[in-house]
């Protein structure tokens, strides 16, 4: 149980284009989902907290107009990297907690490798 | 700011028991301790979670002393496939708590044959 599906697993795009990454909780509902970014050999860095039905909360230094987050339902959050540039190339990971379980740990998707050329 | 401190790396050999300790001196009353395993180009995978004393599941044990200022993940008889980065995450797991869950540096475990 507690599966988080992330799609696509990898994507290559040209500089200036936009890319959408989907994060779905398959067997549980999640009012809140979290988006992380990870560079090679580094830890996960929290980018934003996605809240169902309301605006996302972004961490300091993360541009909300560049990384658009939509949390349209209790099982789906999307991250859109707009006008992507090579420096946006990274590994993006989403996570969610099961709102039906007390003290549920974070469950993670398998990540999306974004390469901007 | 991460609430945790772990060794950057550890080496072990197949068949040995590995203990990875995490320091979390400022742990709050409502905080739980959760450990994750991450392989390259994959999302972190949940290993074990605990609040106090000892927790054991089919893959690991988690030891938490009474003061809860540290915790130790114990992996019995590691194999080559346990080579990964292990993260200790401390935070309030109440679903309605909106505190950010910040990852520390993690411990890179290398298992040798």
């Amino acid at each position: 149980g507690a599966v988080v599906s992330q799609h696509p697993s990898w994507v290559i795009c040209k500089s200036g284009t936009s890319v959408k990454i989907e994060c779905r909780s398959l067997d549980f509902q999640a009012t809140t989902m979290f988006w992380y970014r990870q560079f090679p050999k580094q830890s996960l860095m929290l980018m934003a907290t996605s809240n169902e039905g309301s605006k996302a909360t972004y961490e300091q230094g993360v541009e909300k107009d560049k990384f658009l987050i939509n949390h349209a339902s209790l099982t789906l959050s999307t991250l859109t990297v707009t006008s992507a540039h090579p420096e946006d190339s990274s590994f993006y990971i989403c996570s969610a907690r099961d709102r039906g379980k007390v003290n549920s740990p974070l469950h993670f998707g398998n990540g999306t490798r974004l390469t901007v050329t | 700011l991460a609430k945790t401190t772990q060794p950057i790396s550890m080496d072990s050999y197949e068949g040995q028991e590995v203990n990875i300790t995490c320091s979390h001196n400022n742990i709050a009353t409502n905080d739980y301790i959760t450990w994750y395993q991450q392989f390259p180009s994959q999302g972190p995978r949940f290993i074990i979670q605990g609040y106090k004393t000892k927790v054991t599941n089919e893959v690991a044990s988690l030891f938490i002393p009474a003061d809860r200022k540290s915790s130790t993940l114990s992996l019995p008889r590691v194999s080559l496939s346990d080579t990964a980065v292990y993260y200790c995450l401390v935070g309030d797991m109440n679903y309605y708590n909106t505190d950010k869950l910040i990852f520390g540096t993690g411990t890179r475990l290398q298992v040798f044959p």
Side-chain angles (χ1 to χ4, degrees):
Chain A
V3 177
V4 174
S5 174
Q6 197 171 331
H7 179 81
S9 56
W10 61 270
V11 59
I12 302 172
C13 70
K14 291 187 176 180
S15 188
T17 61
S18 296
V19 173
K20 180 186 284 188
I21 302 170
E22 290 189 349
C23 180
R24 293 180 186 272
S25 56
L26 296 186
D27 49 2
F28 65 95
Q29 293 182 331
T31 309
T32 303
M33 291 186 177
F34 303 90
W35 287 94
Y36 292 84
R37 181 175 182 175
Q38 187 175 36
F39 291 106
K41 304 238 184 255
Q42 293 188 22
S43 183
L44 287 79
M45 182 186 74
L46 180 65
M47 297 176 65
T49 302
S50 167
N51 303 296
E52 188 265 338
S54 64
K55 292 183 178 180
T57 304
Y58 291 82
E59 295 302 301
Q60 190 173 8
V62 178
E63 299 176 56
K64 62 179 182 179
D65 294 329
K66 182 169 188 60
F67 298 99
L68 299 179
I69 291 174
N70 183 276
H71 195 147
S73 76
L74 289 172
T75 59
L76 173 64
S77 175
T78 60
L79 168 68
T80 301
V81 183
T82 62
S83 186
H85 291 285
E87 57 265 29
D88 298 324
S89 297
S90 189
F91 191 54
Y92 294 87
I93 312 170
C94 70
S95 69
R97 284 203 296 236
D98 183 350
R99 75 168 193 166
K101 289 188 175 179
V102 176
N103 298 318
S104 166
L106 284 178
H107 300 286
F108 287 84
N110 257 335
T112 297
R113 173 77 56 194
L114 171 63
T115 302
V116 184
T117 61
Chain B
L1 190 64
K3 293 182 176 182
T4 62
T5 303
Q6 300 174 234
I8 295 295
S9 64
M10 293 181 69
D11 292 337
S12 183
Y13 291 94
E14 280 192 294
Q16 289 189 334
E17 177 185 78
V18 170
N19 296 309
I20 306 174
T21 298
C22 179
S23 296
H24 27 82
N25 291 319
N26 297 319
I27 190 168
T29 302
N30 294 331
D31 286 348
Y32 275 70
I33 301 152
T34 312
W35 284 83
Y36 292 87
Q37 176 192 56
Q38 187 183 28
F39 297 113
S41 296
Q42 292 186 25
R45 183 177 75 95
F46 170 81
I47 301 173
I48 196 166
Q49 178 172 291
Y51 182 81
K52 62 179 180 181
T53 62
K54 177 183 175 182
V55 181
T56 297
N57 61 21
E58 60 274 10
V59 298
S61 294
L62 177 59
F63 298 92
I64 306 168
D67 66 6
R68 302 201 327 122
K69 293 183 182 294
S70 67
S71 59
T72 299
L73 173 72
S74 181
L75 304 172
R77 297 178 300 282
V78 295
S79 64
L80 295 176
S81 62
D82 293 317
T83 294
V85 178
Y86 292 82
Y87 292 97
C88 161
L89 187 66
V90 171
D92 187 339
M93 292 301 165
N94 183 306
Y95 186 87
Y96 297 100
N97 185 289
T98 56
D99 287 352
K100 296 171 285 192
L101 295 172
I102 307 297
F103 278 79
T105 58
T107 297
R108 190 171 297 273
L109 173 66
Q110 178 70 53
V111 180
F112 295 96

